[in-house]
Structure formats: structure tokens, C-alpha cells
Amino acid sequence: MAEEYLTDDEQLEHVKRLFTEYAPWILGGVVIGVGGWFGVQYYRSHQNVLAMQAADQFKQMTAALQMNDAPKSQQIADALIKNFPSSPYADQAQLTIARIDVETGKSADAIAPLTQVMNNSKDTELKQIARLRLARVLIDQGKPDDAIKTLADGTPGSFAGRYHEVHGDALYAKKDVPGAVAEYNQALASGDGGADAALLQLKVADLASNEKPKASSDKANPANDKANPANDKVNPSNEKAKP
């Protein structure tokens, strides 16, 4: 309150003294603030540049894949993973590598990239897709039990229909036809738009038609199993020696 009674000259001297005392701190704060702002802008700009570069490489990768140029697509995918490991395009590149492995008859090699995406991707949907594809690869490798475990470790969510379908494929590989049919029917009832309803219905119909002839052949004809007593009975007149 004492400042209210200072003269104009005294107030001016007081302000000068305060400025002299706190100027370094004020200027330092301004410099840090401005520097921080420029730093943030530079970081954002740099991230945008990296994102654009990654997107451009991703477009080149998919274009090569559509042209059936697997070697070029693989090369670009490897570069994406190496140069932009934390970008979502790296996950897509892993899935592309897995696809190429499967299409070139090296399905065992697809397990590693699919597992990488399934366990580490930040995208929930990509993780689900990788899990389903991994399960299919395991079935193809003759490991239906591992496929079923892989599915059991996930949370189907909106992918429920596709989970049931792949589970059905695994059970069919284990010769569990009734179990497979039950899973296919659950897939149809799930309302999962990603599941191919026509294919599922075809699978169910095919398994049902195969089961009917089997059941018919397993049922033995009782007329054939019952021995003819007339043939088994020996004619006593033949066994009696002629005098």
C-alpha cells in the first residue's frame, strides 16, 4: 500500500529497479517460451514429413503387390518397417510380408510377422486380423490345436463371426465334423459382416451331405448278417453211407 503514496519519479525509479532485478528471469522465460514454441512446431513439421514419406512408401508397396511384383513389394515393406517402425504403416508392411510368404508357399515364414502385429500393434483391428490370419496359417501347418489356442487368447468383439469360422475350420481339420458345423452356424448367427455368409452356408451344406452317405454305409443290412440255416444244416442223407 505504501506505493500509493510514492511520487511519480519515485514510482518510475521503483519500476526501473524491479526491471533491473527481474529482467534476466523475464527474458529467460521469453526465450524458453519462444524456443519451446519453435521446437514444438519443428517436431510437428518433422513428424508430418515422416508420415508423408511413410504413406508414399505404403502406396508404392500396395501398387507393387497389385502388379504381382512380390520382390519389390517385399523390399518396400522391409524398408517401411526399418525406417518407420512406430508408424501404422509398419504393421501393414508386416501383414504384407506375411501375405507374400503364404502366396509363395512359405506359410511357416508368415508366423513371425503375424505374431509381431498380433502382440505389438496399437491398432486393435489389425491385431484381430493378424490373430485370425495366424490361426489360418497354423491350420495350414497341420497345427489345429495351436490355432484354437491362438483364437482362445483373443477377444472376438466385432470379429465374432470370423472367429467362429476359423474355429470351425480348425475343428474340421481335427475330424470333428459336428463341432465344425456348430461353429459355422454360430458364425452365420453372429451378424458379423466380415464373415462370408454364402461360403459358410456352402461349408455347412457340404459337411451335411457328406455325413448322410457315411451314416447309410455304417448301417449294416441285417439280412446279410443273418446266416442261412438251410445252408448250415447238413443233410443227414448225404452223411449216411450207402449199404
Side-chain angles (χ1 to χ4, degrees):
M1 297 298 294
E3 292 183 4
E4 296 179 8
Y5 302 101
L6 295 176
T7 65
D8 292 342
D9 290 339
E10 289 173 333
Q11 288 183 6
L12 180 59
E13 287 298 323
H14 182 65
V15 170
K16 288 180 179 179
R17 188 169 65 254
L18 290 175
F19 182 77
T20 301
E21 183 178 352
Y22 294 106
W25 298 100
I26 295 172
L27 290 175
V30 171
V31 170
I32 292 173
V34 173
W37 183 83
F38 279 109
V40 169
Q41 295 305 311
Y42 172 78
Y43 175 79
R44 289 177 177 173
S45 176
H46 180 64
Q47 291 299 108
N48 288 337
V49 170
L50 291 179
M52 291 177 64
Q53 291 175 350
D56 183 59
Q57 288 194 22
F58 175 74
K59 288 172 62 178
Q60 294 179 37
M61 180 187 71
T62 53
L65 197 63
Q66 291 171 356
M67 295 294 292
N68 295 320
D69 191 345
K72 183 177 180 180
S73 184
Q74 173 97 38
Q75 181 182 13
I76 298 172
D78 288 335
L80 261 174
I81 295 168
K82 179 181 178 181
N83 299 327
F84 311 99
S86 60
S87 76
Y89 297 108
D91 294 334
Q92 295 284 0
Q94 295 279 15
L95 294 178
T96 298
I97 290 173
R99 174 180 171 179
I100 293 171
D101 288 335
V102 171
E103 290 180 349
T104 55
K106 299 182 293 183
S107 58
D109 293 342
I111 293 175
L114 290 173
T115 302
Q116 165 68 23
V117 177
M118 180 182 73
N119 291 335
N120 302 305
S121 177
K122 297 177 182 177
D123 188 316
T124 303
E125 288 196 0
L126 284 183
K127 293 178 75 169
Q128 297 279 41
I129 291 170
R131 186 178 297 277
L132 288 167
R133 291 184 183 178
L134 176 59
R136 291 188 186 278
V137 168
L138 291 171
I139 294 170
D140 183 61
Q141 290 288 299
K143 301 175 182 177
D145 289 325
D146 290 345
I148 292 171
K149 183 180 183 305
T150 298
L151 294 172
D153 290 340
T155 305
S158 61
F159 288 76
R162 279 159 283 187
Y163 265 69
H164 283 301
E165 180 181 5
V166 179
H167 192 181
D169 292 342
L171 291 176
Y172 178 72
K174 289 167 62 68
K175 312 300 182 185
D176 182 0
V177 173
V181 171
E183 287 294 327
Y184 294 151
N185 283 327
Q186 287 191 64
L188 284 168
S190 69
D192 178 1
D196 189 334
L199 179 60
L200 285 166
Q201 290 170 350
L202 183 62
K203 287 181 178 181
V204 172
D206 183 56
L207 292 180
S209 63
N210 288 337
E211 281 295 290
K212 288 179 181 179
K214 181 180 177 182
S216 300
S217 62
D218 289 344
K219 187 177 180 181
N221 188 343
N224 294 331
D225 290 340
K226 187 176 181 180
N228 189 342
N231 295 331
D232 293 340
K233 187 176 180 180
V234 178
N235 189 341
S237 62
N238 294 333
E239 294 206 350
K240 189 176 180 179
K242 186 176 180 180

